[in-house]
Amino acid sequence: MRTILNMADPLPGLLALQCPVEGELYRLMHFIVQQPVEEGLLLYHVMTKALVLLNPDEVKQFEKDPSAVPGLVEGWFAVPYSHDDLKLAREVHAVGKMLSKPAKGVSSYAILPTTDCNARCFYCYEKGRSRIPMSSETAKATAQYIIRNRNGEDTVKIRWFGGEPLYNKKVITLICTELKKAGVTYRSSMVSNGLLFDEPTVVEAVELWKLKRVQITLDGTEPVYNRIKNYVNPEGSAFSMVLGNIRLLVNAGVEVSIRLNIDRHNADDLFLLADQIGAEFGSSPLVRVYSHTLFEACNAKAAVTHSEAQRRELFRKQRLLRVKLRELGLSSPRRLSHSLKLNHCMADNDSSVVILPDGHIGKCEHFSESEWFSHVSSCEIDESVIASFKELCPDLEACGECPLYPDCIRLSKCEEAVHCYPEEREDKLLNLQDQLLSYYRSHEVPD
């Protein structure tokens, strides 16, 4: 057996080698992902992040008895049949959280310049919520809040969100101007529909906003996109304008991540869109494309319930779409992680906050009208609200033998955590196997 990746820190000093017991019957731990390669079989331990390669002779031994391969028991790849895998995973997560360095301040800010938007997407989870622009006074107070609470001399990371952030771009300029005056080092990213960019805005975004990356959603080819976005008072083809604005951003050195929301209504059309994006941007290293399913767990009030057969077909098409995107040079597997996953997202991360247009401070952008813990003009903090975003959902029956369990942090306030569909688990497992192959073939240094 060849070890390719050792256990991630701090596990080597905490998780003692498991001593084999003579006469004990062993099985593979539930958290092991297998990936055949020409040289044998890769085994990846999702809990410990260790990666090993078995040669063909060892694979034969492994198939008969996992404990027969030297090192698999010691490395917790094989455990006794009576072993409680979930309990160990929970203990490892708890110890990892306890030993992680506490945040010295806030380094990541999701700021909503407005909750208003120029699009009327049928699937928008913000449908029916208040449409509030941030005032200049609140923008200045937001800048001062960042200056007071930033994490030492570290670079401040800002993500502009909405609504459509460019609907109120003057406060973006105001906040960045204040940070620049105070000598704060910062960089930003943005989630936008992309329609309101133009040459002067892109120049300002690069020079003042320090914009490095923009996520823009394309829901289909021109007729499908224009119908789904349903822009307010559109002038000409919004689809053509957005493609032109993506080109402006790329030419200015800004990375553009194109998100393809896929559902039954547009799945087939997205294959045509992929060809169009490939022809337009396939040679650009600054353009990356990924897909995301829209169904019951997408937090959208207008989400449509799918049958099991419909979900399976949707994920099948998404898988084919991902293959096509890679063939076009528009995407690649994510890098294989080599660190314990201790947070689900910004909601349970002490170094991240959300600042809403009225100055309230929260932990999740999906809670724009409630669940605040402070205000940019106040020093008072409601710790109970922060703690509530860290509460976990009870384990599901499917958790018992799920190989992805150690990396699955299901927060009780997250609507997406309510459901765990077999098709979704299968999709995530296939993605992880892609990452294993990519890492093994390239000998890439993992995160």
Side-chain angles (χ1 to χ4, degrees), residues 121-123 215-221 224-225 228-229 258-274 277 289-300 302-306 310-325 416 423-424 427 431:
C121 307
F122 74 89
Y123 54 74
Q215 176 189 300
I216 294 175
T217 297
L218 295 178
D219 291 313
T221 56
V224 174
Y225 174 87
I228 292 174
K229 285 300 181 187
I258 299 177
R259 169 168 159 153
L260 309 182
N261 285 329
I262 180 172
D263 201 355
R264 286 177 293 161
H265 68 277
N266 70 341
D268 294 333
D269 186 70
L270 289 180
F271 287 85
L272 301 176
L273 177 63
I277 297 174
V289 185
Y290 74 100
S291 63
H292 182 77
T293 53
L294 289 181
F295 58 112
E296 296 98 320
C298 71
N299 284 316
V304 178
T305 300
H306 291 56
Q310 288 169 335
R311 275 197 306 273
R312 179 160 291 278
E313 177 63 9
L314 181 59
F315 276 106
R316 185 188 72 83
K317 289 186 176 181
Q318 177 171 248
R319 185 71 183 170
L320 293 174
L321 179 60
R322 286 175 177 162
V323 171
K324 185 178 185 68
L325 292 173
E416 293 189 5
E423 300 81 15
E424 188 175 14
D427 185 64
N431 287 339

Side-chain angles (χ1 to χ4, degrees), residues 66-216:
S67 65
V69 180
L72 288 187
V73 172
E74 291 83 350
W76 295 91
F77 284 84
V79 293
Y81 273 88
S82 60
H83 186 264
D84 190 336
D85 295 5
L86 297 191
K87 180 182 178 182
L88 180 61
R90 288 192 291 266
E91 291 173 348
V92 166
H93 177 81
V95 172
K97 292 282 284 186
M98 182 176 64
L99 295 179
S100 62
K101 294 181 180 179
K104 296 180 180 179
V106 181
S107 59
S108 180
Y109 301 81
I111 303 177
L112 282 66
T114 181
T115 48
D116 201 358
C117 185
N118 55 337
R120 297 292 182 266
C121 307
F122 74 89
Y123 54 74
C124 181
Y125 72 87
E126 294 181 346
K127 188 175 293 184
R129 298 188 186 183
S130 303
R131 296 178 179 272
I132 305 171
M134 181 179 285
S135 67
S136 297
E137 292 73 19
T138 301
K140 290 179 181 178
T142 295
Q144 291 305 312
Y145 175 85
I146 295 174
I147 294 168
R148 291 195 309 271
N149 292 278
R150 64 194 176 103
N151 188 353
E153 298 301 318
D154 290 352
T155 299
V156 169
K157 297 182 286 293
I158 301 173
R159 183 166 62 100
W160 308 107
F161 194 74
E164 170 51 50
L166 295 179
Y167 233 34
N168 194 17
K169 66 180 181 181
K170 66 179 182 181
V171 303
I172 300 178
T173 296
L174 182 52
I175 292 171
C176 291
T177 298
E178 294 295 308
L179 295 179
K180 185 177 181 180
K181 286 181 182 177
V184 175
T185 303
Y186 61 92
R187 58 185 171 88
S188 75
S189 62
M190 180 181 291
V191 177
S192 169
N193 57 47
L195 185 64
L196 300 179
F197 278 109
D198 53 30
E199 288 191 38
T201 300
V202 170
V203 171
E204 183 179 35
V206 172
E207 295 181 354
L208 179 60
W209 305 351
K210 308 300 179 186
L211 190 67
K212 305 298 181 183
R213 177 178 174 271
V214 180
Q215 176 189 300
I216 294 175

Side-chain angles (χ1 to χ4, degrees), residues 206-377:
V206 172
E207 295 181 354
L208 179 60
W209 305 351
K210 308 300 179 186
L211 190 67
K212 305 298 181 183
R213 177 178 174 271
V214 180
Q215 176 189 300
I216 294 175
T217 297
L218 295 178
D219 291 313
T221 56
E222 187 166 20
V224 174
Y225 174 87
N226 289 339
R227 182 174 66 252
I228 292 174
K229 285 300 181 187
N230 191 24
Y231 284 104
V232 178
N233 300 321
E235 296 182 6
S237 171
F239 178 82
S240 298
M241 294 173 66
V242 171
L243 282 186
N245 291 340
I246 291 175
R247 175 60 65 188
L248 284 177
L249 289 163
V250 170
N251 289 343
V254 178
E255 179 185 344
V256 178
S257 177
I258 299 177
R259 169 168 159 153
L260 309 182
N261 285 329
I262 180 172
D263 201 355
R264 286 177 293 161
H265 68 277
N266 70 341
D268 294 333
D269 186 70
L270 289 180
F271 287 85
L272 301 176
L273 177 63
D275 285 326
Q276 187 170 354
I277 297 174
E280 183 78 17
F281 302 107
S283 61
S284 174
L286 293 177
V287 176
R288 297 286 88 188
V289 185
Y290 74 100
S291 63
H292 182 77
T293 53
L294 289 181
F295 58 112
E296 296 98 320
C298 71
N299 284 316
K301 293 181 179 179
V304 178
T305 300
H306 291 56
S307 68
E308 180 179 341
Q310 288 169 335
R311 275 197 306 273
R312 179 160 291 278
E313 177 63 9
L314 181 59
F315 276 106
R316 185 188 72 83
K317 289 186 176 181
Q318 177 171 248
R319 185 71 183 170
L320 293 174
L321 179 60
R322 286 175 177 162
V323 171
K324 185 178 185 68
L325 292 173
R326 288 175 190 169
E327 290 174 347
L328 293 169
L330 295 170
S331 72
S332 57
R334 296 178 62 182
R335 298 180 69 186
L336 183 66
S337 173
H338 195 234
S339 58
L340 301 185
K341 185 173 180 179
L342 302 178
N343 302 99
H344 173 70
C345 61
M346 64 190 304
D348 60 336
N349 190 329
D350 290 333
S351 65
S352 300
V353 298
V354 177
I355 301 179
L356 301 165
D358 61 2
H360 277 108
I361 305 172
K363 294 298 298 179
C364 176
E365 58 213 12
H366 291 277
F367 292 83
S368 60
E369 298 191 326
S370 62
E371 306 292 341
W372 315 306
F373 69 85
S374 189
H375 190 277
V376 292
S377 299

